[in-house]
Amino acid sequence: MTVFASPPMGTSPHLQAPTNRLLLGAGFMLLSALLFGIGNAAVRWASTVMDPLEVVFFRNLFSLLWMLPWALTAGAPACRAVLAERRLLPYLTRATTSLCAMAAWFYAIAHLPLPTATAVSFAIPLFVTAGAALVLGERVRLRRWAAVCAGFAGVLIVLRPGGTPVDLAFTALFVHCIAAATTVLQMRVLSRRDGAMVVVTFLGLLVTPMALVPALFVWTWPSWSVLGALALLGGLLTLGQLAMTRALALAESSAMMPYDYARLPFTAFVAWLAFDQTMDLWGWVGAAVIAASALYTMHRDVADERKAVALGSAQAD
């Protein structure tokens, strides 16, 4: 699918028009949020018929199967280049953090309402923004910090701390947040060098056998109908992963992550349709604050990029 095509090897995505990169990256991030919202509902359903650790394995197995046709044809040269240049170690570390994040997340959404789990997971951009500034050396402007903090304030409105006791499921959520933030930062580096398709393919190649080990301790054979549903789940989440990886290749992670807040209204709608789970008025107020912070960030970033392009053109003249 050309919509997920990666930039040619050796070609920086930053050669594209800055404004177009931001808008396209935001679009990919919103698509990713929608796909993950639907996918998380499917994961919750699957976790009612088998252990979450087994769901993690099948999710990665079928994601890998979805990617293999590309990896064996058009993507073969790029994948061979990673192996030939011995650049596998960063993929191994990313696979480890991704597996930790995935296992913790699947456990959490199996035991918590989907909108609540999604709201708590929005602590991830706080870690991503700090990591982007401290580790990757990205310039994080004040309004991006303000937008992330506003989004987190919206999360607090949704949760209203003190109303729900902290248990193992919430602990798993916080483990997920830390591991997922680390994974996002790794995606940022890898996708800029190797492209989204290569990154997602190697994730499947490495995480699948790693996920099999804990799954064997809780193994039960799923029915054919459940296997079919898991195959669809793998494809859906693979598309979501590709969309997010492509977004992070187009623009800085600190600029893209606020759009991930759209997962909350998407997830709330899917949870209402699938499980009759609803959020109260304060929940929707918090969701509105989160969405507003992301929209404000997009508006300001695009406006600044246009000014920079106009200034550069004027100086060239």
Side-chain angles (χ1 to χ4, degrees):
M1 295 175 62
T2 55
V3 68
F4 292 116
S6 304
M9 294 291 291
T11 301
S12 170
H14 295 276
L15 294 177
Q16 303 174 40
T19 299
N20 290 341
R21 284 192 293 103
L22 285 170
L23 290 175
L24 189 58
F28 276 118
M29 207 69 187
L30 291 173
L31 175 61
S32 171
L34 175 60
L35 292 172
F36 280 131
I38 299 172
N40 287 334
V43 167
R44 181 181 176 87
W45 168 82
S47 297
T48 64
V49 297
M50 64 177 63
D51 191 278
L53 290 176
E54 197 174 352
V55 178
V56 172
F57 166 70
F58 279 110
R59 175 260 190 266
N60 286 284
L61 174 63
F62 285 115
S63 292
L64 176 60
L65 293 177
W66 279 100
M67 294 297 298
L68 274 181
W70 176 86
L72 295 174
T73 54
C79 292
R80 283 198 299 267
V82 172
L83 296 174
E85 297 172 17
R86 298 182 180 179
R87 291 189 274 116
L88 201 58
L89 182 59
Y91 285 96
L92 284 170
T93 58
R94 180 183 182 268
T96 302
T97 58
S98 180
L99 179 59
C100 291
M102 202 178 303
W105 176 246
F106 282 21
Y107 177 86
I109 63 176
H111 295 86
L112 292 171
L114 273 176
T116 300
T118 302
V120 175
S121 74
F122 287 146
I124 294 172
L126 295 176
F127 295 102
V128 171
T129 299
L134 299 175
V135 179
L136 301 184
E138 293 182 4
R139 182 183 179 185
V140 180
R141 297 178 179 178
L142 179 61
R143 59 175 160 268
R144 289 184 188 169
W145 286 106
V148 169
C149 291
F152 187 61
V155 171
L156 294 179
I157 294 173
V158 174
L159 289 180
R160 295 184 294 284
T164 305
V166 177
D167 58 10
L168 183 59
F170 275 103
T171 303
L173 267 181
F174 287 113
V175 171
H176 162 72
C177 290
I178 296 172
T182 305
T183 300
V184 167
L185 291 172
Q186 292 169 321
M187 283 170 57
R188 173 68 176 147
V189 175
L190 293 173
S191 62
R192 294 174 86 179
R193 183 182 62 193
D194 297 328
M197 298 289 280
V198 174
V199 171
V200 175
T201 299
F202 271 101
L203 177 65
L205 286 170
L206 296 172
V207 173
T208 301
M210 293 168 64
L212 178 61
V213 176
L216 289 175
F217 290 94
V218 294
W219 189 268
T220 57
W221 285 103
S223 65
W224 287 109
S225 60
V226 171
L227 277 177
L230 289 170
L232 291 176
L233 168 64
L236 192 70
L237 293 180
T238 297
L239 289 176
Q241 189 71 46
L242 284 169
M244 174 178 283
T245 305
R246 184 62 176 145
L248 295 172
L250 286 165
E252 294 181 355
S253 53
S254 52
M256 289 294 98
M257 288 311 293
Y259 303 113
D260 191 45
Y261 290 137
R263 270 193 299 122
L264 183 54
F266 290 153
T267 300
F269 181 69
V270 173
W272 171 68
L273 286 178
F275 308 111
D276 199 28
Q277 296 176 349
T278 59
M279 291 199 303
D280 59 16
L281 177 61
W282 282 108
W284 286 111
V285 170
V289 172
I290 293 168
S293 70
L295 291 173
Y296 173 77
T297 301
M298 179 176 66
H299 170 74
R300 293 305 310 167
D301 281 338
V302 170
D304 284 350
E305 292 287 1
R306 286 175 177 170
K307 289 180 182 178
V309 170
L311 181 61
S313 299
Q315 291 176 344
D317 293 340

